[in-house]
Amino acid sequence: MTGDAWPVGPVATFSGVDALLHLARRQLGMDHASVSRFDGPLCRVRNVSVAHRVRTRTGMTHVRAECACDRVAPTLLVPDATQDEHLARLATQWGLPIGSLAAVLLTTADGRPWGTLSVTAAEPRPDLDDDVLATLSGLGETLLDVLLAEDAQGGGPHVVDEVHDVVARGALQVVLQPLVHLQTGMVVGHEALTRFPGSDKPTSEWFHDATVGGVGPVLERATVERALELVPHVNGRLSVNLSSETLLEPSFRTWAEKLPWQRLILEITEQQPVEDYDRLREVLAHLRANGALVAVDDTGSGYSSLRHALAVDPDIVKLDLSLVQSVHNDEGRQAIVSAVCSFAERIGARVVAEGIETPEDLACLVSLGVQLGQGYLLGRPSVLATGAAS
């Protein structure tokens, strides 16, 4: 079995599909497992779920391949894929190395081809044999039962299709909330916030569902690209939000090269636990070398957030609004805010208080040493908010 990191929790935290994929990957000692379904008379293969050695993605993604369904082989075993051109293309599409592969056809009780279950390893595996296919077939039968049950309950990948549709139509809207120097009242930057006009679903649910559906990076990149259109029209830096999952994607660095980092603050969101802090620090070092400032959100909301701040070594520490609101009459909150300010001073970072809504909280935060802030008292998000930079 290959070395196995498991930062996302035990199998019980996954849906049935994800748990079975991780089981297939681990039981066969592979690095990656995925299940894909056929779409229509042509075998337009779209991923339903993908389990990596360190992460899981669930949801329908873009078309992977097309062929006639009656030409799909019932099994495929490639112990050494290094010389296979098709698998080389597949490796590029998936953004991971494929040195070996095993796959089985998933067929419904009436004989209809439904999709495929496949596992891959980064290196050639000469030990792969028919026993691997037998194990994969058994797991595939159980997996298909779970998938069909989810379909019958009205589940499925609709959220992923929604995300791709919103991105394709350019239906995202970016509003800007000013970042204010609390002692002078001067606007020194803005945070780009996403809105979905015409949708009743809150923004937080859009990003949560996209993350669960495996298309969080798609939505995040689209919102950043829309926000970049506003950079020439505002003074100061523009704060954009990206998750560690997006930052650690193999294709991120190439995409990020075109961004004007000297005008941006990268705010790291915590949609999912950070998988690899060493790699994350490498990515952040590269972005800082190109002029980026790095911010961490929700600081002070728990032990994990403080550990996250220590690991990231941020330029900006954003106080969780649960600490900010009513801070003026709560000595416990004041003590935590003061401690975070001391921590930030020691590491050379600035503190931003989010959610400032009353003059009393504002005055208290200034007295505690908070330099910057956001909130309805200072400026509501608007379609285009500009201001003077310090």
Side-chain angles (χ1 to χ4, degrees):
M1 181 177 291
T2 58
D4 202 2
W6 197 266
V8 285
V11 171
T13 65
F14 299 123
S15 72
V17 172
D18 297 326
L20 287 168
L21 283 175
H22 276 285
L23 178 62
R25 183 188 58 74
R26 299 179 76 203
Q27 187 168 334
L28 297 173
M30 305 294 269
D31 298 312
H32 169 276
S34 67
V35 58
S36 300
R37 72 182 301 171
F38 301 150
D39 182 24
L42 282 179
C43 168
R44 291 202 297 269
V45 180
R46 301 192 296 178
N47 267 358
V48 174
S49 190
V50 176
H52 294 274
R53 193 159 50 87
V54 292
R55 65 174 179 257
T56 300
R57 297 178 180 175
T58 306
M60 299 288 276
T61 60
H62 55 278
V63 173
R64 295 293 191 187
E66 290 194 5
C67 61
C69 286
D70 58 4
R71 296 179 188 170
V72 178
T75 62
L76 179 64
L77 188 67
V78 185
D80 186 348
T82 57
Q83 305 302 316
D84 189 299
E85 292 183 2
H86 171 72
L87 290 179
R89 289 194 299 271
L90 187 64
T92 300
Q93 288 178 346
W94 282 6
L96 77 163
I98 298 179
S100 52
L101 174 143
V104 295
L105 181 67
L106 303 180
T107 306
T108 61
D110 60 1
R112 177 175 56 88
W114 187 93
T116 61
L117 169 63
S118 62
V119 291
T120 68
E123 302 295 332
R125 286 281 304 276
D127 59 309
L128 296 183
D129 55 22
D130 290 342
D131 289 341
V132 170
L133 293 176
T135 300
L136 206 58
S137 295
L139 289 170
E141 292 178 2
T142 303
L143 185 66
L144 184 56
D145 287 340
V146 174
L147 287 163
L148 292 175
E150 288 184 355
D151 285 346
Q153 293 172 1
H158 59 280
V159 66
V160 181
D161 292 332
E162 286 179 344
V163 168
H164 282 294
D165 178 63
V166 164
V167 172
R169 291 188 294 107
L172 300 170
Q173 183 183 57
V174 171
V175 296
L176 301 181
Q177 185 170 35
L179 177 65
V180 177
H181 189 278
L182 298 185
Q183 289 187 322
T184 65
M186 184 174 291
V187 175
V188 297
H190 298 82
E191 181 178 1
L193 303 172
T194 312
R195 298 292 183 266
F196 297 85
S199 172
D200 295 330
K201 186 162 61 174
T203 296
S204 59
E205 287 188 23
W206 272 97
F207 280 94
H208 173 269
D209 292 348
T211 299
V212 173
V215 287
V218 173
L219 188 56
E220 290 178 18
R221 287 190 184 190
T223 57
V224 169
E225 289 172 356
R226 176 58 60 89
L228 291 178
E229 299 172 6
L230 304 178
V231 169
H233 306 290
V234 297
N235 295 320
R237 289 190 180 240
L238 186 64
S239 179
V240 296
N241 296 274
L242 291 172
S243 66
S244 61
E245 180 186 15
T246 297
L247 295 171
L248 294 177
E249 278 206 321
S251 60
F252 172 77
R253 181 167 292 192
T254 299
W255 174 78
E257 290 297 335
K258 63 184 179 182
L259 272 61
W261 290 107
Q262 69 279 3
R263 293 291 312 278
L264 300 178
I265 299 171
L266 168 61
E267 187 168 328
I268 304 175
T269 61
E270 294 190 73
Q271 297 288 339
Q272 290 183 332
V274 176
E275 300 162 4
D276 187 335
Y277 272 112
D278 289 337
R279 282 185 56 214
L280 180 61
R281 282 189 286 265
E282 289 179 7
V283 172
L284 296 181
H286 179 73
L287 298 181
R288 282 187 169 112
N290 286 304
L293 296 179
V294 176
V296 293
D297 203 4
D298 300 331
T299 304
S301 61
Y303 168 73
S304 62
S305 74
L306 293 174
R307 182 178 60 183
H308 178 67
L310 282 169
V312 170
D313 189 23
D315 305 291
I316 296 171
V317 176
K318 303 194 75 172
L319 284 171
D320 185 67
L321 63 83
S322 66
L323 295 175
V324 171
Q325 296 181 348
S326 300
V327 67
H328 73 280
N329 60 6
D330 189 315
E331 291 185 0
R333 285 184 170 90
Q334 293 170 25
I336 295 175
V337 170
S338 180
V340 172
C341 288
S342 297
F343 162 73
E345 184 178 4
R346 292 288 296 270
I347 65 172
R350 286 188 163 190
V351 176
V352 175
E354 293 187 288
I356 302 175
E357 297 184 356
T358 69
E360 294 81 7
D361 285 340
L362 173 59
C364 180
L365 290 165
V366 171
S367 70
L368 292 172
V370 178
Q371 304 106 322
L372 304 169
Q374 296 173 252
Y376 284 0
L377 180 68
L378 306 174
R380 290 176 177 265
S382 61
V383 174
L384 182 63
T386 60
S390 62

